[in-house]
Amino acid sequence: MYTHRLADRCVKDPEWVSEFLKYVDENPNSCQEVWLCSAYGFPSVEKHREIALSMKPTVDMFRARKIRVALQISNTKGGHAGIKYSDNSGLIHDGWHAPFCVDDEGNDVEYTFCTASKDFRKYLSEVIEAYLSELDVCGVWIDDDFRMGNHTQVCWCDDCISEFSKRVGKEYTRQELVTLVNSDLGVRDEWIEFTAFRYYDAAKFIADSVHRVKPDVYTALQHGANGYMAGAGHKD
C-alpha cells in the first residue's frame, strides 16, 4: 500500500492539494492512504479546531477517490528546535508553560514536553478531540520523533526520577542516576525499561483519547530511525 504523509502547510494549501491529486489521478494505485498532519507547534485548542474545519474539503477530495485518510499528530511531544518559531500558545502563554522535559544536567529542554505531565496530557486529549470531532478519518498516527534518544527525548525531570525511584525501590538524585546510567549496566537497563514504559503509557493515553471520541479509529506509531534505543544520557 502506498501511503503519503502530507505536512500541515501542504494540507492547508488548496492549490498544492489539487496538484498532488492530479498526479494521483494520472498514476493509478500510486496512493491508497494519506496522513494529514495536524498543525505544527502547539497552538490553542481553538486554533486546532479551526484548522480541522479547514481540512474538511481536503478530506472529502481524497475520500471521493477511495483514498483512506488518517490524521498524524505533527509533533506529539515536541522535540525540534524549529518549533519555537511556531504558534505554541496552547502550552506556553502569559509566563506559564506546561512542564518541559529536563536533560541530564537539569536544564529545561524547551519546546519538548514531559509526556507524564497532566497539563500536557489534557491539552493533547483536547487537540485529538478537536480534529476527530470534525474530520472523518480512519486512523491517528503518532509522529516518528516519539522515541528515545532523539531531540533529547528521555526526560530527567524531578517527577520522572521520583517515579523511577519508586519503581526500583531506591531513591536517586539526578546526578547519582546519570552517573550510574553511564557506568552500571544494571541501572542502565532499568532506566531504559522505565523510559520505554513512560512512552508506552503516553501512547496508551493517546489511543484511549482517540477511542473515547471514535472507537473504530485505529491508532499507530510512525517508525523512526533505528539505533535509538540505547537511552539518552549516555556519553562515550
Side-chain angles (χ1 to χ4, degrees):
M1 181 172 74
Y2 286 100
T3 301
H4 298 265
R5 178 180 182 269
L6 307 185
D8 65 325
R9 64 183 180 278
C10 301
V11 174
K12 293 184 289 187
D13 185 344
E15 291 185 10
W16 190 97
V17 173
S18 296
E19 184 76 4
F20 177 82
L21 286 171
K22 184 187 80 169
Y23 290 116
V24 170
D25 291 340
E26 292 172 354
N27 297 274
N29 300 317
S30 62
C31 179
Q32 282 80 41
E33 180 174 299
V34 291
W35 304 349
L36 306 185
C37 291
S38 64
Y40 196 62
F42 298 96
S44 68
V45 174
E46 292 73 20
K47 183 63 175 179
H48 276 294
R49 195 176 299 278
E50 288 178 17
I51 292 169
L53 283 167
S54 73
M55 291 164 65
K56 276 188 170 183
T58 299
V59 172
D60 291 342
M61 284 190 285
F62 282 110
R63 288 178 62 84
R65 290 167 170 79
K66 309 297 184 185
I67 296 171
R68 290 157 52 95
V69 180
L71 173 73
Q72 182 173 51
I73 305 172
S74 285
N75 38 254
T76 310
K77 63 170 290 187
H80 194 284
I83 290 176
K84 69 181 179 181
Y85 302 109
S86 301
D87 178 357
N88 297 296
S89 58
L91 286 175
I92 304 172
H93 57 81
D94 303 321
W96 173 89
H97 63 77
F100 292 134
C101 282
V102 173
D103 67 18
D104 57 340
E105 295 181 346
N107 303 306
D108 281 347
V109 183
E110 295 184 341
Y111 307 98
T112 299
F113 297 92
C114 178
T115 58
S117 157
K118 291 181 180 179
D119 292 316
F120 175 76
R121 289 193 174 195
K122 179 177 182 294
Y123 170 83
L124 190 55
S125 179
E126 291 176 353
V127 168
I128 289 169
E129 190 277 333
Y131 283 97
L132 294 189
S133 64
E134 301 295 346
L135 300 177
D136 186 6
V137 297
C138 62
V140 174
W141 287 81
I142 300 170
D143 77 295
D144 65 316
D145 285 338
F146 192 80
R147 63 180 187 261
M148 287 187 274
N150 190 55
H151 303 312
T152 317
Q153 295 279 338
V154 172
C155 185
W156 301 84
C157 73
D158 291 342
D159 180 62
C160 284
I161 292 173
S162 175
E163 288 301 311
F164 173 77
S165 296
K166 291 176 186 176
R167 183 183 179 98
V168 300
K170 183 177 180 179
E171 292 294 321
Y172 290 103
T173 65
R174 180 180 297 105
Q175 187 55 56
E176 288 171 341
L177 186 55
V178 169
T179 299
L180 287 170
V181 164
N182 285 286
S183 62
D184 186 315
L185 289 178
V187 175
R188 184 176 181 79
D189 285 344
E190 289 177 327
W191 178 244
I192 291 172
E193 182 179 345
F194 168 76
T195 301
F197 173 79
R198 293 293 249 194
Y199 274 95
Y200 157 79
D201 189 60
K204 183 178 184 301
F205 174 82
I206 291 169
D208 289 344
S209 298
V210 168
H211 295 145
R212 273 195 297 271
V213 184
K214 290 191 174 179
D216 295 332
V217 167
Y218 72 77
T219 55
L221 173 66
Q222 181 186 0
H223 289 274
N226 63 7
Y228 286 113
M229 296 304 290
H234 176 67
K235 292 180 174 61
D236 294 325

